[in-house]
Amino acid sequence: MLVAASELMIERSSIEISLSDIAQKSGANAALVKYHFGNKDGLLLALLERDAGTELSNLEYLLAQPITPTAKLKLHIGGIIRAYYRFPYMNRLIHYLLHETNAGSADEVSKFFVAPLLDFHRRLLAEGVSRGEFRATDPVLFYTSLIGACDHLFFGRHAMSRATGVGPVTDDVCRQYIRHMETLICGGILTQAGEAAAAG
């Protein structure tokens, strides 16, 4: 059912799908969807948790790696952007569950997505500062910048395509965007030591 919901949202470029759509796509009965997830919001919450789970589970592993904070930062930027690329509905799903559903859904998204990412950013930035590679950077502002950029890769691209004919997000666009965001973010927070680490 989660696979069917994911495929439908990608096909339609929208999170506006019904339980009957999901049931028809998955071959399951709509009552079975309700049994497993309670309602549509419950299914969407489970889908976001599944999609975000892989990237979030890699955060502790990345922090533990014997590489420079700058290298970890670049890997994280690429990983987050690729996650949004694989699941282009993710930004709309996050906003919907945080702002347009009940407080319980918003609390769950905050618990399994926002809080772990903020904590990771806090620790990675602190490591970079202590190693002399990063300038002091507010983790909340850093989170806002990186996640906002990921959001806008898809949300803004849709608006630009209507206004200026910019094409869809492709593999090549994703790679270009990762390089762009590495340059933008690293250019803002790396010290000379961090730049040397990035070059080496």
Side-chain angles (χ1 to χ4, degrees):
M1 289 177 266
L2 295 181
V3 171
S6 175
E7 289 175 352
L8 281 169
M9 287 191 281
I10 291 171
E11 288 167 11
R12 298 180 182 182
S13 296
S14 172
I15 64 168
E16 295 300 321
I17 56 174
S18 67
L19 288 179
S20 60
D21 291 335
I22 296 165
Q24 184 176 5
K25 178 85 171 174
S26 66
N29 185 295
L32 194 59
V33 178
K34 288 184 180 179
Y35 173 78
H36 283 291
F37 301 103
N39 55 30
K40 181 181 149 186
D41 287 348
L43 183 142
L44 295 178
L45 189 62
L47 178 62
L48 178 61
E49 190 165 10
R50 183 205 75 172
D51 292 348
T54 301
E55 181 58 32
L56 294 176
S57 68
N58 290 332
L59 298 181
E60 290 300 322
Y61 177 79
L62 179 57
L63 272 180
Q65 293 309 295
I67 56 178
T68 66
T70 301
K72 293 175 187 178
L73 175 63
K74 287 186 168 188
L75 287 170
H76 177 57
I77 291 168
I80 287 289
I81 292 171
R82 286 188 195 95
Y84 274 76
Y85 177 56
R86 283 194 305 274
F87 309 111
Y89 51 80
M90 186 181 288
N91 61 327
R92 280 169 283 178
L93 206 50
I94 290 168
H95 289 295
Y96 171 75
L97 291 167
L98 280 174
H99 305 296
E100 298 179 40
T101 59
N102 59 60
S105 293
D107 288 344
E108 283 298 306
V109 174
S110 296
K111 183 170 68 177
F112 72 71
F113 184 80
V114 180
L117 263 180
L118 270 172
D119 183 59
F120 171 79
H121 291 160
R122 178 185 59 77
R123 289 186 290 156
L124 176 58
L125 293 169
E127 181 186 345
V129 169
S130 72
R131 294 274 297 271
E133 294 181 25
F134 299 170
R135 297 183 181 92
T137 303
D138 184 296
V140 173
L141 296 180
F142 178 86
Y143 171 95
T144 304
S145 300
L146 178 58
I147 302 306
C150 290
D151 276 355
H152 218 65
L153 173 61
F154 295 95
F155 194 77
R157 190 115 182 149
H158 183 68
M160 285 188 292
S161 69
R162 291 178 173 272
T164 63
V166 171
V169 179
T170 61
D171 287 344
D172 188 51
V173 169
C174 185
R175 285 190 294 270
Q176 288 178 35
Y177 200 65
I178 289 170
R179 289 194 299 270
H180 169 73
M181 289 307 300
E182 284 177 353
T183 301
L184 200 63
I185 291 174
C186 291
I189 72 171
L190 293 189
T191 63
Q192 286 186 337
E195 289 171 1

